[in-house]
């Protein structure tokens, strides 16, 4: 597989790198010439396998829980020691659980807290941990994986929608606060063909495709392509959310 030179010399850290979107993103950034640190929440062997399959060289797997700030700080330190730099941080880790929006009792305090920890606090903590390295790059980039549920209010549960809305606000705030040495962008998918949302069936995906203007649901590579574009093409953009949903939000 041909490796280009667009990101030659850059180091990319992909949190949630063993999931569908994360692994596709790692592959795209590697093909663009970056060295990639693939970070899993718990399964270091899987992270290592994903890293070993990437084109090019210098990749590795690592493990760090998105909800453990000390672990994220340790990850940043290991990247500083081993890779010597970090230019791109991709926050692709996430968690959700389907809860009908009208079922207020089912959206318990514990579930709300878990969703906020994984889908908002963890992203902020990761940026905080890597800020020094990204700033030292002088051309730092953070890309968070958001969701169109942030603006449509239609998603797996209300807390998830709220967390993603908060992630969009975070991009706006940090895009301003961390400029000009670090850019912060979000990509917002609609329905994507992964196992991210528990219980979603092929029937759900077929119905979603039928009601999406471009006639299909997203593939992980659709989202990964947008993340790659943030690093290679959209170099005068920061603090905004890029929608990658096949027009689904238009319905």
């Amino acid at each position: 597989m041909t490796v280009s030179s667009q990101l030659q010399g850059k180091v990319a850290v992909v949190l949630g790198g063993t999931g569908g979107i994360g692994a596709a993103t790692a592959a795209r950034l590697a093909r663009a010439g970056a060295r990639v640190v693939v970070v899993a929440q718990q399964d270091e062997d899987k992270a290592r396998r994903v890293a070993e399959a990437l084109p090019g060289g210098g990749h590795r797997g690592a493990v760090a829980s998105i909800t453990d700030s000390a672990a994220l700080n340790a990850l940043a330190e290991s990247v500083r020691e081993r890779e010597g730099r970090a230019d791109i941080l991709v926050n692709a880790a996430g968690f959700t659980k389907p809860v009908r929006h009208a079922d207020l009792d089912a959206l318990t305090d514990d579930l709300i807290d878990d969703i906020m920890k994984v889908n908002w606090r963890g992203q902020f903590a990761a940026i905080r941990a890597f800020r020094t390295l990204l700033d030292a790059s002088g051309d730092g980039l953070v890309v968070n994986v958001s969701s169109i549920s942030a603006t449509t209010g239609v998603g797996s549960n209300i807390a998830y929608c709220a967390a993603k809305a908060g992630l969009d606000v975070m991009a706006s705030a940090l895009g301003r606060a961390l400029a000009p040495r670090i850019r912060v962008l979000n990509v917002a998918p609609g329905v994507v063909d992964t196992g991210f949302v528990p219980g979603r069936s092929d029937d759900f995906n077929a119905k979603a495709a039928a009601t999406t203007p471009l006639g299909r649901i997203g593939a992980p590579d659709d989202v990964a392509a947008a993340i790659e574009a943030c690093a290679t093409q959209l170099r005068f953009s920061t603090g905004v959310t890029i929608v990658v949903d096949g027009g689904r939000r238009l319905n």
Side-chain angles (χ1 to χ4, degrees):
M1 188 177 295
T2 303
V3 175
S4 78
S5 60
Q6 285 181 298
L7 297 178
Q8 193 70 40
K10 304 283 189 181
V11 171
V13 179
V14 182
L15 293 166
T18 59
I21 291 172
T25 298
R28 279 208 168 247
L29 297 179
R31 285 198 299 272
R35 287 184 289 155
V36 182
V37 181
V38 177
V39 185
Q41 289 269 68
Q42 296 177 324
D43 192 341
E44 189 168 4
D45 286 340
K46 187 173 182 181
R48 190 178 300 113
R49 290 194 299 272
V50 172
E52 289 172 350
L54 297 176
H59 315 301
R60 69 177 173 103
V63 64
S65 171
I66 193 73
T67 60
D68 185 343
S69 292
L72 293 170
N73 290 335
L75 174 68
E77 179 60 21
S78 78
V79 170
R80 186 190 68 78
E81 291 177 352
R82 296 183 59 172
E83 280 74 29
R85 62 188 297 153
D87 306 277
I88 301 166
L89 174 66
V90 178
N91 278 314
F95 157 75
T96 194
K97 178 181 178 181
V99 178
R100 289 190 306 111
H101 288 203
D103 191 350
L104 305 191
D105 292 330
L107 192 59
T108 63
D109 290 349
D110 287 344
L111 180 55
I112 292 169
D113 290 346
D114 286 344
I115 286 170
M116 291 298 177
K117 282 192 297 185
V118 176
N119 297 291
W120 194 93
R121 194 191 79 185
Q123 284 71 17
F124 183 85
I127 296 167
R128 184 174 59 201
F130 279 89
R131 177 185 182 174
T132 299
L133 282 169
L134 294 167
D135 190 78
S137 165
D139 186 28
L141 170 66
V142 176
V143 185
N144 302 309
V145 177
S146 182
S147 167
I148 63 169
S149 67
T151 52
T152 64
V154 178
S156 51
N157 63 63
I158 294 172
Y160 182 79
C161 296
K164 293 301 187 178
L167 203 59
D168 289 355
V169 171
M170 185 197 300
S172 297
L174 291 184
R176 181 186 306 111
L178 302 184
R181 297 177 68 83
I182 303 172
R183 295 184 298 119
V184 183
L185 292 165
N186 284 3
V187 295
V191 178
V192 181
D193 190 11
T194 69
F196 176 69
V197 180
R200 280 192 174 170
S201 64
D202 291 342
D203 183 59
F204 175 91
N205 289 342
K207 289 179 180 178
T211 55
T212 297
L214 294 189
R216 64 177 178 87
I217 62 172
D221 191 61
D222 292 318
V223 186
I227 295 171
E228 180 187 14
C230 291
T232 59
Q233 303 296 326
L234 304 179
R235 302 183 61 80
F236 198 55
S237 296
T238 194
V240 296
T241 297
I242 299 156
V243 176
V244 189
D245 71 342
R248 184 164 179 78
R249 76 204 178 285
L250 303 175
N251 290 336

